[in-house]
Amino acid sequence: MIRSLCWFSVFHGSLALETETRPVTKVVNLLEGMQSNLEKEAKEDEDTHDKMQCWCKTNGDEKTKSIEEAQTKIKALEARMDELTATSSRLAT
């Protein structure tokens, strides 16, 4: 019985050692590490993307509002310019 246990432990130990050093195991471990890194990078990319979307939306809204205000001001200035041109021509005659 003890002899069979010794053989079992030696055999089991050699299988464990073989499993750890097999090229396939190395590749599997490498792929698992790569998958873990890719998942981490994907999360970081998603966070960066969300921040950029927020920045673009905020700045886009501000720029749109600024453009609308500038266009309104341009129209008001053009109207004032027309008034002053009419006044100037009226005073010149």
Side-chain angles (χ1 to χ4, degrees):
M1 172 87 170
I2 293 178
R3 189 177 214 183
S4 63
L5 285 176
C6 288
W7 278 106
F8 176 76
S9 64
V10 168
F11 180 73
H12 181 68
S14 67
L15 278 180
L17 184 61
E18 259 183 48
T19 315
E20 291 175 8
T21 58
R22 282 186 174 173
V24 172
T25 305
K26 290 179 182 179
V27 171
V28 168
N29 291 337
L30 179 67
L31 290 172
E32 287 173 349
M34 289 172 63
Q35 180 179 6
S36 172
N37 287 341
L38 285 173
E39 288 171 354
K40 180 181 145 193
E41 289 175 5
K43 175 66 176 146
E44 291 171 359
D45 288 346
E46 185 178 330
D47 292 343
T48 303
H49 181 263
D50 291 343
K51 288 177 186 175
M52 287 298 295
Q53 271 190 320
C54 179
W55 182 84
C56 289
K57 179 173 178 12
T58 302
N59 284 342
D61 292 345
E62 289 175 5
K63 298 297 180 194
T64 301
K65 182 180 176 185
S66 178
I67 289 169
E68 289 171 356
E69 289 172 356
Q71 288 174 338
T72 302
K73 188 174 182 177
I74 288 171
K75 289 178 183 176
L77 290 173
E78 286 174 344
R80 179 72 176 145
M81 201 167 64
D82 290 342
E83 289 173 16
L84 293 174
T85 302
T87 303
S88 174
S89 64
R90 185 174 43 97
L91 293 174
T93 57

